[in-house]
Amino acid sequence: VILEHIKGLISSPGDFGGIKVLVTAGGTREPLDPVRYISNRSSGKMGYALAAAAIQRGAAVTLVSAPTSLDPPAGAELVSVETARQMYQAVMERFSTQDVVIKAAAVADYRPKIVADQKIKKSEGTLILELEKNPDILYELGQRKEPHQTLVGFAAETEDLEANAQQKLRKKNLDLLVANDVTQPGAGFGADTNIVKLFYRDGRTQSLPVMDKKTLAHRILDAVIELRYPGNS
Amino acid sequence: VILEHIKGLISSPGDFGGIKVLVTAGGTREPLDPVRYISNRSSGKMGYALAAAAIQRGAAVTLVSAPTSLDPPAGAELVSVETARQMYQAVMERFSTQDVVIKAAAVADYRPKIVADQKIKKSEGTLILELEKNPDILYELGQRKEPHQTLVGFAAETEDLEANAQQKLRKKNLDLLVANDVTQPGAGFGADTNIVKLFYRDGRTQSLPVMDKKTLAHRILDAVIELRYPGNS
């Protein structure tokens, strides 16, 4: 794995020179009240590894990040957000000037319909929470995408990975989808490693072995370069 | 503030020798499905500072911690939990052998009634989430408390701090309640400082100035010693 990583670094220094890359990372938080929120198990490690790898390879990187406990990579323009709607706004404002957008964040599909001004006090019995849908950032990006732009999405699945991934790739108009079964040991949220399958726009798929997220970040960037400059690799 | 801290360290080394202290910390996570959960803004800093301070002063410390991004203090027996029910079980199993219990964790009052086995897929329209009440750990501890045990609770309030704190102190049968208005700058969740008011069992109250959480931890332990050995301080 270390050799792979070093090879990646040696074989492709500067191949992202002049390319503007926007990466989203972390899990959004959707407040119920001033102290409580709905979130997810995303640690932000995959997105931060992608941002760091793209910087190493010469890209101008914007990192739109939901809360994480990670230090942002040096050299990235960091845009900190909390909710899905804040992430939507931050990404949409910047999309038209980007060449590559990699949506590694785990964005909440739903948010509480009502956000209480004050901390909700305990009361007897059950509590009913009504959730409404958040904007679908990846779908919007797929609709607005220009021919020079490369759009990469992630899918964290717990069942029917292949079918769900193929459907997401088409529906969101992606160039590349990185899918992982988060129920596998060594894959997904919180882990330092990941086990993914790449789904390309042209129908190709590629199953990668377990690898650390830094190495995987370079593999994903290799795939982006190949998509942008076919035949060069 | 630094002088206060040093004074605290010098004047009270070993005053917790032979005392068993259980501290809870962090914010519990209540799963909706394998990837999503409800949580809160607790960073765990206050609880970890209390555990570290008690160790410094000679206590045998058990730290029951919900997820945080902090390193546990050296010397504590760490019990990692995720949900309110796991925390309930971990604390109840250990309560009878403890002398002092400090409940600094932010425990979810409610959990989703149904936890989905698989990741909930997006669908059209709104989503209704039914929440049911979690066990009230602090109330249970107050009921079971023996005369030799000291029970300290926290209250994070966004309104009516005084009234809510007095009510909680009595209802939960606490010896000391540490209340803070989390809407104040420099107070509460995520911050390195806190602004609190102490409510004692005998009706006394004490408003403390803004101070870092490590210093506050020693102040709270000072109050515990005073409650356990009245007239000694």
Side-chain angles (χ1 to χ4, degrees):
Chain A
V1 166
I2 290 165
L3 269 176
E4 278 296 308
H5 184 53
I6 290 166
K7 204 180 114 202
L9 291 178
I10 291 167
S11 67
S12 51
D15 58 352
F16 272 76
I19 300 181
K20 297 181 89 171
V21 177
L22 186 149
V23 178
T24 69
T28 63
R29 290 179 178 175
E30 308 298 322
L32 276 75
D33 69 18
V35 301
R36 299 178 179 93
Y37 58 79
I38 299 177
S39 191
N40 61 66
R41 297 183 189 281
S42 173
S43 63
K45 286 176 186 168
M46 192 66 242
Y48 278 54
L50 280 158
I55 290 166
Q56 275 178 17
R57 293 165 73 155
V61 173
T62 303
L63 176 59
V64 178
S65 182
T68 74
S69 55
L70 305 173
D71 292 323
E77 184 198 334
L78 180 70
V79 182
S80 294
V81 300
E82 179 164 306
T83 67
R85 284 190 290 184
Q86 288 167 1
M87 184 166 279
Y88 177 87
Q89 197 181 339
V91 172
M92 289 304 157
E93 280 172 10
R94 290 163 179 85
F95 184 52
S96 66
T97 62
Q98 300 297 319
D99 301 303
V100 176
V101 171
I102 307 178
K103 288 277 307 157
V107 180
D109 295 323
Y110 294 92
R111 65 173 178 272
K113 193 164 185 175
I114 295 163
V115 180
D117 285 343
Q118 303 293 344
K119 190 178 169 187
I120 301 165
K121 300 302 282 183
K122 235 182 313 194
S123 56
E124 290 312 308
T126 61
L127 192 75
I128 300 295
L129 202 60
E130 193 175 357
L131 306 178
E132 59 186 3
K133 270 180 95 169
N134 273 323
D136 187 333
I137 305 175
L138 202 50
Y139 178 81
E140 287 291 328
L141 295 178
Q143 296 298 305
R144 298 186 190 192
K145 190 175 64 169
E146 302 281 346
H148 73 92
Q149 293 180 305
T150 307
L151 184 57
V152 181
F154 277 74
E157 302 290 347
T158 59
E159 57 183 343
D160 300 331
L161 182 127
E162 184 91 20
N164 285 329
Q166 291 286 9
Q167 192 190 357
K168 186 168 183 176
L169 181 80
R170 284 189 301 273
K171 189 179 157 194
K172 309 286 174 88
N173 191 26
L174 306 179
D175 299 295
L176 180 67
L177 179 76
V178 183
N180 63 341
D181 178 350
V182 291
T183 64
Q184 284 187 80
F189 296 133
D192 288 320
T193 57
N194 214 340
I195 308 168
V196 306
K197 188 167 182 177
L198 302 182
F199 293 79
Y200 291 84
R201 188 182 185 77
D202 65 7
R204 272 181 305 143
T205 65
Q206 189 180 9
S207 290
L208 298 181
V210 60
M211 59 178 71
D212 69 85
K213 288 181 175 175
K214 286 179 187 173
T215 308
L216 177 58
H218 281 288
R219 285 291 190 96
I220 293 167
L221 295 181
D222 290 346
V224 168
I225 286 293
E226 193 202 320
L227 280 164
R228 294 180 65 84
Y229 308 105
N232 255 19
S233 58
Chain B
V1 167
I2 291 166
L3 268 177
E4 278 295 309
H5 185 53
I6 291 167
K7 204 180 115 201
L9 292 177
I10 291 168
S11 65
S12 51
D15 58 353
F16 273 75
I19 300 181
K20 297 180 88 170
V21 177
L22 186 149
V23 178
T24 70
T28 64
R29 290 179 178 177
E30 308 298 323
L32 276 75
D33 69 18
V35 301
R36 300 179 178 92
Y37 58 79
I38 299 177
S39 191
N40 62 66
R41 297 183 190 280
S42 173
S43 63
K45 286 176 186 169
M46 191 67 242
Y48 278 55
L50 280 158
I55 290 166
Q56 275 178 17
R57 292 164 73 154
V61 173
T62 303
L63 176 60
V64 179
S65 181
T68 74
S69 55
L70 305 173
D71 293 324
E77 184 198 335
L78 179 69
V79 182
S80 292
V81 299
E82 179 165 305
T83 67
R85 284 189 291 183
Q86 289 167 1
M87 184 167 278
Y88 177 87
Q89 198 181 340
V91 173
M92 289 303 159
E93 281 171 11
R94 291 163 177 84
F95 184 53
S96 66
T97 61
Q98 301 297 321
D99 302 303
V100 176
V101 172
I102 308 178
K103 287 279 306 157
V107 180
D109 295 324
Y110 293 92
R111 65 173 177 271
K113 194 165 186 176
I114 296 164
V115 180
D117 284 342
Q118 303 294 343
K119 190 177 168 188
I120 300 165
K121 301 301 285 185
K122 236 182 311 194
S123 56
E124 290 312 308
T126 61
L127 192 75
I128 300 295
L129 203 61
E130 193 175 357
L131 305 178
E132 59 186 4
K133 269 179 96 167
N134 273 322
D136 186 334
I137 305 175
L138 201 50
Y139 178 82
E140 287 292 327
L141 295 178
Q143 296 297 304
R144 299 185 189 192
K145 191 176 64 169
E146 304 280 347
H148 73 92
Q149 293 181 305
T150 308
L151 185 57
V152 181
F154 276 74
E157 302 290 347
T158 59
E159 57 183 345
D160 300 332
L161 183 126
E162 184 92 18
N164 285 331
Q166 291 287 10
Q167 191 190 358
K168 186 168 183 175
L169 181 81
R170 284 190 300 272
K171 189 179 156 195
K172 309 286 174 88
N173 191 26
L174 306 180
D175 299 295
L176 179 67
L177 179 76
V178 184
N180 63 341
D181 178 349
V182 291
T183 64
Q184 283 188 80
F189 294 132
D192 289 321
T193 57
N194 214 341
I195 309 167
V196 306
K197 188 167 182 176
L198 303 181
F199 294 80
Y200 291 82
R201 189 182 184 77
D202 65 6
R204 273 180 306 143
T205 65
Q206 188 181 9
S207 289
L208 298 181
V210 59
M211 59 178 72
D212 67 85
K213 287 180 175 176
K214 286 179 187 174
T215 307
L216 177 58
H218 280 289
R219 285 291 190 97
I220 293 168
L221 295 182
D222 290 346
V224 167
I225 286 293
E226 193 202 320
L227 281 163
R228 293 179 66 85
Y229 309 105
N232 255 19
S233 58

